[in-house]
């Protein structure tokens, strides 16, 4: 069997900074590639950034920045983050690179020449968040089901790809290739999408509305729809149509994504490939979504986990281990720092770390810090080595079935069994009894087990596994044989603890949940060091106000417009509370307002003042008054 695999992550949008979700998929792909390397595969691993489209254009505008400069900056954040998480992609593609744009134009021209792209007038509900048109049927209460905002009605002339003509072919292809889209739930979801008639895909945006994109090769008044552009990265990066890498790796392509982008990957992409005369990818591997303390991660809720903060606190390898172990591929999982600490202490510190520590210590004490020469193996030695062999034999099928967490559990089971083996064989008694030959056999076997566990965990914990190898006097590489040779006589280092236990209870998630220091409210950062004078505080005029009218601001998901009664005046304020409070709940409430704040425009609405709220772990909570007071009451 050919041993080759091409692994890809989605290319991430650069309208937001990387968070734990992006880190998860990218770590997962890095881990998968390292495991395949361990099995002797030739691997190629691609990631990158998706830089065109409405979303990015608006984000750049919001940052008062040229789109290209904005793209350079945020793309670099992603590119620079990956090595710090021990992720080593072979390539990082940006959709603004010429090598990519060239292939997008080529693919478009080809499909156009085949007569499968046509020009037509179209009106539809357009969601900027999703960058796509919705049919009325797809909307939920008139809103985009993902972004919960009312889409804009847009009518314009555009180009369309005749995707509908591939519907029957795609249904048959998915049916004939049971592992084309996996796990099965996502294959079923795809087949269920395909029960409804497939519409042609609008693949352009008029340049007059959106200048930021790849011009269509056959009409430069239009730019390419961002998904038609982005998906092509998977082939542009490896040199489609006749590059060496394309020939070598395309037929073994494995795309990894979360469930949010199933439709473009499971439907648009195979149809685009078919139209361009390219074989479909080999597998689409779809994982679930991480939530944070059981809530959807969202910037508005302020509960987005910044991967670097956590990995700095507990170590990159422990963070990688936790992510892989606590999510069953395909299902959703909940992130909590408490679980991370538990996982760290039980698996990494107690089971694996402890195994390495006790064996190196015993070799130090009983064998003058040299790997001992083993004598003939006895039944318990053979049994434990057989369990290791069984694990090694199960690896290919566990990997092929995306059972990453089961694989880690099996490795940990061998580490646990190895600890038990040491307890049962009691080298300390053998030493006392002066049964040196048996002592050496047991310690050699135990060392082999510890090194093997370190090696097998290496794809997830590359740095710590290398440290473990170093303690046994050897150097680790991912592409080294699974059966690491352990030469008697090698010097062994003792006394280093790979994973010191985290004793303290986990600190409040408040310390880890922001996306970056720059997004912390200034008061929070400075609260301890900087004391202010009473006069400074007194400058802030706080009043009780009654909410008279409250309504959501159209086309935003978090803003609410309110008319408030301040006693001496009625005025309008706009606040980011619509994700947490319904307008009906607000009407009649007495809230606390900063009255003398400079007015600010949000979505064209003037906000004269700011309401106060506590930013709790579970979300926002408005500051209100304990007993009824009249509007306009002074707060001090
Ligand atoms: O969709 N849990 O980019 P994107 C797990 N540019 N994974 C998550 C996650 C979460 N809570 N949040 C994000 C795009 N992800 C397009 C892709 S590909 C041709 C174009 C991960 O920045 C997951 O991999 O919105 C998800 O599919 C991806 O980030 C979406 O990244």
């Amino acid at each position: 069997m050919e041993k080759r695999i091409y692994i890809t992550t989605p290319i991430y949008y650069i309208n937001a900074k990387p968070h734990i979700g992006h880190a998860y998929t990218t770590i997962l792909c890095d881990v998968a590639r390292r495991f395949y390397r361990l099995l002797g595969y030739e691997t190629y691993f691609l990631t990158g950034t998706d830089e065109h489209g409405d979303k990015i254009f608006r984000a750049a505008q919001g940052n008062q920045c040229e789109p290209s400069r904005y793209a350079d900056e945020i793309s670099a954040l992603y590119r620079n983050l990956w090595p710090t998480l021990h992720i080593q992609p072979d390539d990082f593609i940006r959709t603004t690179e010429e090598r990519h744009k060239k292939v997008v134009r080529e693919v478009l021209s080809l499909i156009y020449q085949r007569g499968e792209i046509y020009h037509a007038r179209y009106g539809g509900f357009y969601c900027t968040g999703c960058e796509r048109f919705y049919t009325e049927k797809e909307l939920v209460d008139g809103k985009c089901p993902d972004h919960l905002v009312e889409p804009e009605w847009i009518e314009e002339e555009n180009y369309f790809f005749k995707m509908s003509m591939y519907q029957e072919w795609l249904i048959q292809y998915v049916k004939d290739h049971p592992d084309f889209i996996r796990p099965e739930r996502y294959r079923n979801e795809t087949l269920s999408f395909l029960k409804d008639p497939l519409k042609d895909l609008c693949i352009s945006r008029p340049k007059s509305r959106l200048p930021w994109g790849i011009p269509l090769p056959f009409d430069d008044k239009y730019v390419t729809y961002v998904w038609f552009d982005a998906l092509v990265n998977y082939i542009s990066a490896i040199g489609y149509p006749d590059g060496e890498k394309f020939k070598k790796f395309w037929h073994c392509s494995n795309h990894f994504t979360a469930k949010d982008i199933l439709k473009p990957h499971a439907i648009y992409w195979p149809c685009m490939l078919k139209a361009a005369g390219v074989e479909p990818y080999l597998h689409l591997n779809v994982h679930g979504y991480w939530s944070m303390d059981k809530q959807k991660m969202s910037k508005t809720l302020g509960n987005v986990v910044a991967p670097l903060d956590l990995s700095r606190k507990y170590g990159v390898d422990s963070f990688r281990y936790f992510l892989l172990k606590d999510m069953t591929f395909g299902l959703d999982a909940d992130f909590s720092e408490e679980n991370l600490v538990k996982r760290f202490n039980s698996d990494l510190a107690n089971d694996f770390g402890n195994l390495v520590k006790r064996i190196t210590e015993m070799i130090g004490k009983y064998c003058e810090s040299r790997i001992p020469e083993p004598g003939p193996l006895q039944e318990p030695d053979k049994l434990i080595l057989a369990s290791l062999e069984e694990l090694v034999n199960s690896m290919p099928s566990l990997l092929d079935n995306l059972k990453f967490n089961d694989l880690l559990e099996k490795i940990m089971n061998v580490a646990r069994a190895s600890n038990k083996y040491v307890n049962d064989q009691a080298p300390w008694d053998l030493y006392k009894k002066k049964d040196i030959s048996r002592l050496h056999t047991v310690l050699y076997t135990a060392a082999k087990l510890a090194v093997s566990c370190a090696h097998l965990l290496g794809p997830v914990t590359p740095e710590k596994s290398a440290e473990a190898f170093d303690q046994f006097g050897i150097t680790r590489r991912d592409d080294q044989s699974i059966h690491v040779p352990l030469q008697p006589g090698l010097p062994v280092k003792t006394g280093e603890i790979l994973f010191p236990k985290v004793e303290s209870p986990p600190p409040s998630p408040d310390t880890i949940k922001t996306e970056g220091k720059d997004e912390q409210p200034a008061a929070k950062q400075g609260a301890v060091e900087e004391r202010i004078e009473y006069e400074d505080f007194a400058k802030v005029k706080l009043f009780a106000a009654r909410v008279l009218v409250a309504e959501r601001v159209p086309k935003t998901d978090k803003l609410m417009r309110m008319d408030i009664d301040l006693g001496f005046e009625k005025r309008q304020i706009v606040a980011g509370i619509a994700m947490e409070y319904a307008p009906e709940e607000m009407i009649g409430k007495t809230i606390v307002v900063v009255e003398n704040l400079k007015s600010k425009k949000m979505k064209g609405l003037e906000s004269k003042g700011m309401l106060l709220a506590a930013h709790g772990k579970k979300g926002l909570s408005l500051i209100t008054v304990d007993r009824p007071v009249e509007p306009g009451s002074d707060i001090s």
Side-chain angles (χ1 to χ4, degrees):
M1 193 192 83
E2 184 204 44
K3 285 190 162 186
R4 209 175 269 165
I5 186 166
Y6 173 36
I7 293 176
T8 68
T9 71
I11 47 169
Y12 304 112
Y13 284 132
I14 50 163
N15 61 335
K17 293 179 193 167
H19 64 63
I20 191 184
H22 307 116
Y24 172 71
T25 317
T26 320
I27 289 173
L28 176 79
C29 288
D30 184 71
V31 167
R33 98 96 87 149
R34 289 177 190 256
F35 269 125
Y36 278 105
R37 258 193 194 155
L38 209 61
L39 296 180
Y41 276 62
E42 189 178 358
T43 60
Y44 199 75
F45 167 27
L46 173 72
T47 187
T49 42
D50 187 355
E51 305 189 4
H52 290 126
D54 256 356
K55 241 196 267 210
I56 313 300
F57 187 62
R58 290 189 194 197
Q61 278 182 328
N63 283 279
Q64 278 135 22
C65 201
E66 273 300 301
S68 61
R69 220 192 80 213
Y70 174 77
D72 287 347
E73 261 173 39
I74 311 283
S75 174
L77 278 184
Y78 280 85
R79 187 196 285 261
N80 297 337
L81 173 66
W82 301 144
T84 65
L85 296 177
H86 301 161
I87 296 167
Q88 298 174 338
D90 290 297
D91 195 1
F92 186 101
I93 182 124
R94 301 181 55 188
T95 53
T96 45
E97 285 175 80
E98 191 45 44
R99 61 171 173 153
H100 172 74
K101 295 197 263 190
K102 179 174 141 261
V103 175
V104 171
R105 286 193 295 264
E106 257 174 66
V107 170
L108 280 165
S109 302
L110 197 94
I111 303 180
Y112 185 69
Q113 277 154 23
R114 287 174 59 151
E116 293 177 19
I117 289 177
Y118 62 92
H119 192 232
R121 184 162 188 82
Y122 180 79
F125 296 102
Y126 187 75
C127 171
T128 323
C130 303
E131 308 219 12
R132 76 170 182 95
F133 285 101
Y134 275 90
T135 59
E136 205 154 0
K137 203 175 136 200
E138 287 174 302
L139 300 176
V140 178
D141 296 332
K143 292 181 180 160
C144 157
D146 278 347
H147 294 88
L148 308 177
V149 287
E150 280 174 24
E152 285 174 62
W153 176 262
I154 291 185
E155 232 181 274
E156 60 194 16
E157 291 196 359
N158 265 314
Y159 284 89
F160 292 82
F161 163 48
K162 290 187 186 168
M163 193 159 73
S164 55
M165 65 189 271
Y166 292 106
Q167 176 156 13
E168 287 316 311
W169 165 79
L170 184 56
I171 293 174
Q172 207 47 51
Y173 194 89
V174 175
K175 285 188 174 161
D176 291 346
H177 299 82
D179 56 4
F180 181 52
I181 297 163
R182 40 189 204 176
E184 202 173 350
R185 57 171 52 213
Y186 297 111
R187 172 175 184 263
N188 294 341
E189 204 174 305
T190 306
L191 287 170
S192 119
F193 282 146
L194 287 166
K195 280 195 182 126
D196 287 335
L198 196 57
K199 286 204 153 40
D200 289 345
L201 183 67
C202 177
I203 55 147
S204 64
R205 299 290 179 261
K207 228 183 199 170
S208 53
R209 176 157 75 80
L210 175 69
W212 182 238
I214 304 175
L216 293 182
F218 40 83
D219 188 342
D220 66 5
K221 290 190 294 307
Y222 291 87
V223 296
T224 312
Y225 169 47
V226 67
W227 272 105
F228 204 98
D229 159 353
L231 289 161
V232 172
N233 91 87
Y234 300 130
I235 56 173
S236 67
I238 52 169
Y240 165 88
D242 41 30
E244 272 314 297
K245 284 193 215 106
F246 181 72
K247 287 186 204 148
K248 206 164 162 185
F249 286 107
W250 178 247
H251 65 280
C252 49
S253 43
N254 269 259
H255 299 320
F256 284 81
T257 74
K259 62 184 185 182
D260 55 335
I261 47 178
L262 176 65
K263 199 168 182 179
H265 282 83
I267 297 189
Y268 307 170
W269 185 219
C271 295
M272 286 164 62
L273 286 165
K274 179 77 181 158
V278 181
E279 271 298 293
Y281 49 78
L282 186 61
H283 299 300
L284 173 63
N285 307 309
V286 185
H287 64 75
Y289 238 51
W290 282 99
S291 55
M292 172 76 183
D293 288 330
K294 308 254 173 0
Q295 280 184 309
K296 192 175 171 178
M297 263 188 248
S298 105
K299 256 183 135 177
T300 330
L301 296 183
N303 64 352
V304 176
V305 181
L308 257 187
D309 289 356
L310 273 176
S311 59
R312 271 199 208 108
K313 196 154 163 189
Y314 297 107
V316 174
D317 285 357
S318 318
F319 176 64
R320 288 167 63 106
Y321 180 83
F322 171 79
L323 289 182
L324 268 284
K325 186 77 193 289
D326 266 42
M327 183 177 257
T328 300
F329 195 94
L331 302 182
D332 293 343
D334 188 51
F335 184 91
S336 83
E337 192 173 4
E338 200 183 328
N339 287 346
L340 191 155
V341 171
K342 273 192 204 144
R343 190 60 80 196
F344 175 88
N345 280 340
S346 69
D347 293 11
L348 294 177
N350 264 358
D351 296 334
F352 170 58
N354 191 32
L355 179 70
V356 173
K357 180 168 177 287
R358 35 197 319 225
I359 293 165
T360 51
E361 265 174 9
M362 282 188 272
I363 293 179
K365 199 159 159 194
Y366 306 135
C367 312
E368 293 170 353
S369 297
R370 301 254 160 211
I371 301 279
E373 179 84 46
L377 297 184
Q378 294 186 5
E379 213 39 42
D381 318 330
K382 287 183 192 158
L383 270 178
I384 185 79
L385 289 171
S387 72
L388 175 66
E389 205 48 39
E390 205 181 294
L391 160 65
V392 169
N393 293 336
S394 69
M395 278 177 65
S397 123
L398 287 167
L399 283 177
D400 286 342
N401 290 298
L402 307 163
K403 305 256 187 233
F404 297 97
N405 59 343
D406 287 354
L407 174 53
L408 294 188
E409 185 56 18
K410 277 183 188 272
I411 301 174
M412 275 307 153
N413 281 340
V414 171
R416 285 177 202 125
S418 305
N419 272 320
K420 182 168 182 306
Y421 163 83
V422 173
N423 295 348
D424 293 347
Q425 298 309 309
W428 44 92
D429 285 343
L430 297 171
Y431 181 74
K432 265 192 229 145
K433 284 192 273 176
K434 300 212 164 42
D435 189 351
I436 300 304
S437 156
R438 181 70 195 139
L439 171 72
H440 284 182
T441 309
V442 168
L443 284 181
Y444 180 85
T445 307
K448 197 171 171 60
L449 290 164
V451 166
S452 303
C453 286
H455 195 35
L456 298 182
L457 278 177
V460 187
T461 58
E463 192 175 69
K464 291 292 169 182
S465 292
E467 280 176 30
F469 266 52
D470 185 55
Q471 293 189 25
F472 288 98
I474 43 183
T475 309
R476 181 178 183 279
R477 291 193 328 269
D478 272 343
D479 60 356
Q480 209 161 10
S481 152
I482 293 191
H483 299 98
V484 190
L486 196 60
Q487 292 304 326
L490 285 175
V492 171
K493 288 185 200 151
T494 54
E496 283 165 39
I497 300 178
L498 283 180
F499 298 99
K501 246 185 164 168
V502 182
E503 297 293 354
S504 55
S508 146
D510 267 325
T511 55
I512 57 154
K513 71 185 180 182
T514 56
E515 275 206 311
K517 297 274 177 287
D518 51 346
E519 298 214 343
Q520 289 258 23
K524 237 183 192 170
Q525 275 180 30
V528 182
E529 299 83 13
E530 234 179 76
R531 305 258 158 227
I532 59 167
E533 299 295 336
Y534 177 75
E535 293 73 46
D536 294 327
F537 170 68
K539 282 186 198 153
V540 181
K541 300 261 181 276
L542 298 174
F543 287 100
R546 181 155 310 141
V547 180
L548 303 172
V549 175
E551 59 193 20
R552 289 179 195 281
V553 176
K555 295 182 198 140
T556 72
D557 45 3
K558 58 176 186 176
L559 293 185
M560 195 181 291
R561 190 196 78 76
M562 283 163 279
D563 290 329
I564 56 167
D565 181 4
L566 268 168
F568 49 92
E569 181 185 328
K570 297 198 174 55
R571 58 164 84 162
Q572 166 174 287
I573 62 168
V574 180
I577 56 169
M579 303 273 284
E580 319 243 348
Y581 285 86
E584 312 79 79
E585 267 184 276
M586 291 302 298
I587 297 170
K589 245 195 200 351
T590 302
I591 55 174
V592 175
V593 174
V594 183
E595 187 271 332
N596 59 339
L597 204 64
K598 279 194 181 144
S599 69
K600 190 177 163 189
K601 272 209 165 161
M602 286 185 252
K603 291 277 164 194
L605 295 169
E606 186 161 41
S607 182
K608 292 170 85 178
M610 181 180 89
L611 58 68
L612 296 186
H615 298 260
K617 244 203 275 186
K618 301 239 161 73
L620 277 182
S621 174
L622 286 176
I623 307 292
T624 176
V625 287
D626 195 25
R627 293 181 187 167
V629 293
E630 330 44 76
S633 301
D634 173 43
I635 294 177
S636 52

